[in-house]
């Protein structure tokens, strides 16, 4: 996969020169820091069973079935058992949103007689195993590039947002989480699912959401919970408006309408929270940004001038 190859190259360059910068993207695979690359890497272990709290609640007692489905796909098994058709639909929806290798499943068909889901794959079992392993490898490399030890949930959300918007090419296609993550192409769903997947892997709560654009087409977003409050993130439109800024980071529902999107927004799993907090309003004109050396503040370029976002200041 070309995305994995590019990240390996970028990671080696970062290790060799310790000079990754948000404004110098190197094919969009930089860390989102200025001179903080000498800080220790963020401690990360890939969790193939990880789902957000909203998805976990939606799964309910079917979470064990979800894990069995992940195991089945990992081993390219022919089927996994479900209790009924409703569980089949719930588990497959969660797999599509949360588990990248599900994008390699070409058929997942429910058999009422056996109460099994029969699976078919893009590749044979040997190749499938090789492809599945790339999720662990790639996610680890992304975290090594984007995050640093001590990053709080806001820093993790900022850094991974930057990674997504600088590593995916929006081609408008109806592609999957797998294609967005591995190939770096897709539409709003691929970008949103990719961002939500990465956040879930580092314990930042998020849920995929959908609204409609000015052409009345589905447009996918992510609702992210930071410091207990929900905010709307739109990586796809960020590419249109700034290509590297924070224009669409931490929006309210009302701010969303300025981007030609309709409200209300609907979460794909669970209840949709009201996104009304204006904590990140100062970012609406941010064309580019970087962390300071110890990653405690954000330096933003707004209309050609520099503004500082300090999370510790009252109102931030």
């Amino acid at each position: 996969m070309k995305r994995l190859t590019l990240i390996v190259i970028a990671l080696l360059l970062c290790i060799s020169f310790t000079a990754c910068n948000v404004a110098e993207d190197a094919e969009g695979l930089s860390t989102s820091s200025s001179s903080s690359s000498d800080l220790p890497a963020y401690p990360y272990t890939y969790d193939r069973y990880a789902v957000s709290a909203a998805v976990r609640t939606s799964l309910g007692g079917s979470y064990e079935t979800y894990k069995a489905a992940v195991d089945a796909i990992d081993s390219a098994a022919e089927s996994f058992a479900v209790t009924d058709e409703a569980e089949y639909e719930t588990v497959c929806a969660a797999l599509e949103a949360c588990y990248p290798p599900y994008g390699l499943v070409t058929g997942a068909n429910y058999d009422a007689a056996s109460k099994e889901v029969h699976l078919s794959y893009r590749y044979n079992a040997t190749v499938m195993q090789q492809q599945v392993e790339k999720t662990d490898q790639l996610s680890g490399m992304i975290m090594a590039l984007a995050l640093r030890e001590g990053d709080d949930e806001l820093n993790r959300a900022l850094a991974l947002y930057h990674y997504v918007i600088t590593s995916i090419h929006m081609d408008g296609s109806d592609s999957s989480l797998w294609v967005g993550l591995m190939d770096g192409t897709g539409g709003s769903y691929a970008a949103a699912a990719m961002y939500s997947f990465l956040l879930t892997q580092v314990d930042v709560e998020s849920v995929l959401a959908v609204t409609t654009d000015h052409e009345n087409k589905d447009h996918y977003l992510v609702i992210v919970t930071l410091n207990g409050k929900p905010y709307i993130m739109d990586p796809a439109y960020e590419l249109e408006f700034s290509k590297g800024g924070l224009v669409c980071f931490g929006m309210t529902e009302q701010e969303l309408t300025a981007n030609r999107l309709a409200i209300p927004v609907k979460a794909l799993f669970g209840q949709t929270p009201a996104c009304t907090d204006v904590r990140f309003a100062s970012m609406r004109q941010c064309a580019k940004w970087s962390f300071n050396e110890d990653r405690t503040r954000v330096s933003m370029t707004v209309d050609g001038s520099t503004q500082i976002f300090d999370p510790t200041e009252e109102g931030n």
Side-chain angles (χ1 to χ4, degrees):
M1 295 290 179
K2 62 182 181 181
R3 177 59 45 188
L4 185 59
T5 302
L6 285 172
I7 291 183
V8 170
I9 294 170
L11 185 59
L12 290 173
L13 288 172
C14 286
I15 293 171
S16 300
F17 300 107
T18 63
C20 292
N21 189 290
V22 70
E24 300 172 356
D25 284 338
E27 288 291 322
L29 302 178
S30 69
T31 67
S32 49
S33 62
S34 53
S35 56
S36 59
S37 56
D38 57 335
L39 297 175
Y42 183 84
Y44 169 74
T45 302
Y46 172 59
D47 181 359
R48 63 198 181 115
Y49 301 125
V51 296
S52 68
V55 175
R56 181 70 175 83
T57 299
S58 178
L59 284 167
S62 297
Y63 180 57
E64 292 304 316
T65 303
Y66 174 85
K67 293 197 292 185
V70 168
D71 290 341
I73 295 168
D74 277 3
S75 59
E78 294 182 353
S79 63
F80 64 91
V82 293
T83 57
D84 53 28
E85 188 172 6
E87 183 174 67
Y88 151 70
E89 292 174 350
T90 299
V91 168
C92 286
L95 288 168
E96 182 179 12
C98 304
Y99 187 58
Y102 187 69
L104 299 175
V105 174
T106 56
N109 302 307
Y110 174 66
D111 179 17
S114 63
K115 292 188 175 181
E116 290 182 333
V117 179
H118 296 287
L119 300 169
S120 56
Y121 302 94
R122 185 183 305 177
Y123 305 111
N124 63 37
T126 300
V127 177
M128 274 297 298
Q129 184 176 7
Q130 295 170 348
Q131 295 297 314
V132 166
E133 289 174 354
K134 289 181 179 179
T135 307
D136 185 351
Q137 297 167 359
L138 180 56
S139 61
M141 290 176 184
I142 292 170
M143 302 310 177
L145 281 168
L147 304 182
R148 293 294 176 264
E149 186 177 52
D151 278 349
D152 61 13
E153 64 177 8
L154 175 57
N155 280 15
R156 281 172 268 156
L158 283 165
L160 292 174
Y161 185 79
H162 179 74
Y163 172 79
V164 171
I165 65 173
T166 54
S167 67
I168 189 167
H169 170 67
M170 302 302 297
D171 60 9
S173 65
D174 187 22
S175 64
S176 64
L177 166 58
W178 173 267
V179 173
L181 188 68
M182 292 293 170
D183 294 341
T185 60
S188 65
Y189 180 84
M194 182 177 167
Y195 186 42
S196 186
F197 164 75
L198 293 171
L199 290 175
T200 299
Q201 285 292 315
V202 292
D203 301 317
V204 178
E205 186 56 36
S206 70
V207 62
L208 284 170
V210 66
T211 185
T212 54
D213 64 17
H214 62 290
E215 296 179 343
N216 205 34
K217 296 178 180 179
D218 285 346
H219 184 85
Y220 292 90
L221 315 151
V222 187
I223 298 175
V224 181
T225 300
L226 299 172
N227 197 29
K229 295 180 180 180
Y231 302 91
I232 297 168
M233 316 288 189
D234 189 350
Y237 266 20
E238 190 71 64
L239 279 163
E240 178 177 339
F241 292 129
S242 78
K243 296 182 172 58
L246 297 170
V247 175
C248 301
F249 181 94
M251 294 184 292
T252 66
E253 291 178 0
Q254 292 303 314
E255 288 173 326
L256 191 67
T257 61
N259 295 348
R260 299 172 295 165
L261 296 175
I263 54 175
V265 173
K266 179 176 173 55
L268 298 192
F269 300 90
Q271 298 296 313
T272 305
C275 301
T276 59
D277 189 76
V278 295
R279 178 186 185 189
F280 302 109
S282 63
M283 296 179 176
R284 293 298 74 88
Q285 303 300 320
C286 175
K288 63 180 180 178
W289 66 278
S290 63
F291 286 121
N292 66 331
E293 187 170 340
D294 59 3
R295 297 169 77 89
T296 58
R297 293 184 300 279
V298 172
S299 177
M300 304 184 297
T301 300
V302 179
D303 293 331
S305 62
T306 299
Q307 295 183 15
I308 301 299
F309 180 86
D310 185 345
T312 65
E313 288 184 357
E314 186 175 355
N316 288 340

